[in-house]
Amino acid sequence: MHGFLTSSIGVTCAAALALPVTAAPATATAAGAAPASAPAGAYVPGSTQSLPLTPLAGDRAPTAPGTAEQGVTRRGTRHFSLVGVVWDDPATALHGRVQVRTRATATGAWSAWQDLDTHTADHAADPGTAESASGRVRGATAPLWVGESNGVEVRVRAADERGGATSPLPTGLRLELVDPGKGTPPRPRTDPAAVGRPRATETPALSRTRTVSELLALGVLTERQRAEPYVGARPGITTRRGWGADEKLRRKKPVYTKKVKAAFVHHSATGNNYRCSQAPSVIRGIHRYHVKSMGWRDIGYNFLVDKCGKIYEGRAGGVTKPVLGAHTMGFNSNSMGIAVLGTYSSKKPSSAAVKAVARLTAWKLGLAGMNPRGKTYLKSGGGNLYRKGKNVRLNVISGHRDGFATSCPGKQLYRKLGTARSSAAKYQGR
């Protein structure tokens, strides 16, 4: 169990900080019994199990700093579908390897060991903002979608540095097992963001002519845009209600930036082992992990796209508005974050997903008069590539790695951004 290879995994794409979890105690039976079944189509709330990691080798005390190998031994649990590992200090990097294997509820079979991407703050609110300074955030791995499971085993091994020394592991390591729940929860009557908003599950697609006509009627276009309305057709967007967001999780009052001048494309790094019909469950899992396990005010991305090309509303506040997200540390202001569900380091993204990114950016960036093939300047809020306050020239459609030293959005998705830019410009009529 302790002889697996170690490696220092670089910063990758997907969220990374967390809030203390008040999960049910980790006393699941070996059988991993499920709760009483609910009627078909009934709403079932999500939940999080939080298990402390303990040393797997030697006789060191569980709380001793620098324990080289920690984990959770094989055990049965309540049902979950998404896993991640969190720790106390978001400023502390986890230099090492995190692996997990899970037991499928349907078959009882155990999976092979799977790696979780490790990182610190490549996705996060900008330094000094209320969200980053809330005192709730934690360091975390990317979450991994494993499908419905009722057993787990995890091992975390510190990386060997030069000279044979071992990097200490962060303190407070915990395994988070997320059940995304099922269905659409009742809408809170006191939700300010719900006032005046439709209860629809889908924002319908419009033709480009209809899109421009509505924007002209609403008076939201500038004088220059009215003369040359380079705005793409509004694509269909599944609303938060459509994917079943539990609005009681997030903090209620959205925060806005000035305008959306750029889009940062990400991959969620949650793996590719999901069916498109499961995408709402994956997003509910990410939402719960971002808020309950990582300490953010809401899901970090502004939009998400599945591999079948379906577009989903992310952080609450209105799809037409410049909602401040937590997706690209240092460059969340005046930008939006789009996460393509999956891991695209070696796997190529589907043409449907790339097309959806182009359609979404053609419309959303067009609202601010931005050319998808162009460049723009954003002021850095602080990160590992650019100092705080530096004006940085970026592509209007950029990859996460353009604003932060990370492998996100994966080599294969990053290679497709040129195609997305060209297509988006054509959709705008340029």
Side-chain angles (χ1 to χ4, degrees), residues 33-182:
S37 59
Y43 168 62
V44 177
S47 63
T48 303
Q49 301 169 73
S50 188
L51 312 180
L53 272 59
T54 57
L56 295 176
D59 57 359
R60 303 182 69 171
T63 57
T67 304
E69 187 174 0
Q70 296 183 33
V72 171
T73 56
R74 183 182 293 200
R75 66 185 65 188
T77 66
R78 298 194 309 277
H79 289 185
F80 65 92
S81 297
L82 182 138
V83 303
V85 170
V86 302
W87 55 93
D88 292 339
D89 185 1
T92 301
L94 196 165
H95 296 293
R97 191 176 190 183
V98 180
Q99 292 186 304
V100 64
R101 58 182 173 187
T102 56
R103 183 176 64 192
T105 302
T107 65
W110 284 86
S111 71
W113 286 105
Q114 300 183 79
D115 287 293
L116 274 66
D117 284 339
T118 63
H119 52 81
T120 53
D122 57 336
H123 294 65
D126 291 349
T129 60
E131 187 169 4
S132 68
S134 68
R136 296 184 175 95
V137 294
R138 284 184 177 175
T141 68
L144 178 70
W145 178 260
V146 294
E148 190 165 325
S149 306
N150 62 9
V152 71
E153 183 177 5
V154 68
R155 57 192 187 188
V156 180
R157 177 74 180 180
D160 292 333
E161 297 180 332
R162 292 180 180 177
T166 301
S167 301
L169 292 175
T171 59
L173 286 165
R174 301 184 70 84
L175 174 65
E176 303 288 281
L177 306 175
V178 179
D179 178 356
K182 298 179 181 179

Side-chain angles (χ1 to χ4, degrees), residues 227-306:
E228 295 179 312
Y230 293 125
V231 179
R234 188 180 75 191
I237 302 170
T238 298
T239 65
R240 288 172 64 91
R241 182 170 179 79
W243 56 261
D246 184 348
E247 301 296 2
K248 292 185 294 185
L249 291 180
R250 66 176 175 84
R251 269 154 270 179
K252 299 305 178 187
K253 189 175 181 181
V255 179
Y256 297 98
T257 184
K258 292 181 180 179
K259 63 182 291 189
V260 176
K261 297 169 59 180
F264 286 98
V265 178
H266 307 254
H267 64 175
S268 64
T270 46
N272 303 306
N273 189 27
Y274 73 94
R275 300 185 304 274
C276 290
S277 61
Q278 294 176 309
S281 295
V282 177
I283 297 170
R284 288 196 303 273
I286 295 172
H287 182 212
R288 175 168 282 273
Y289 187 73
H290 281 191
V291 178
K292 298 297 290 182
S293 298
M294 304 182 320
W296 295 354
R297 62 179 299 115
D298 195 354
I299 192 169
Y301 308 113
N302 298 104
F303 296 92
L304 302 99
V305 173
D306 69 24

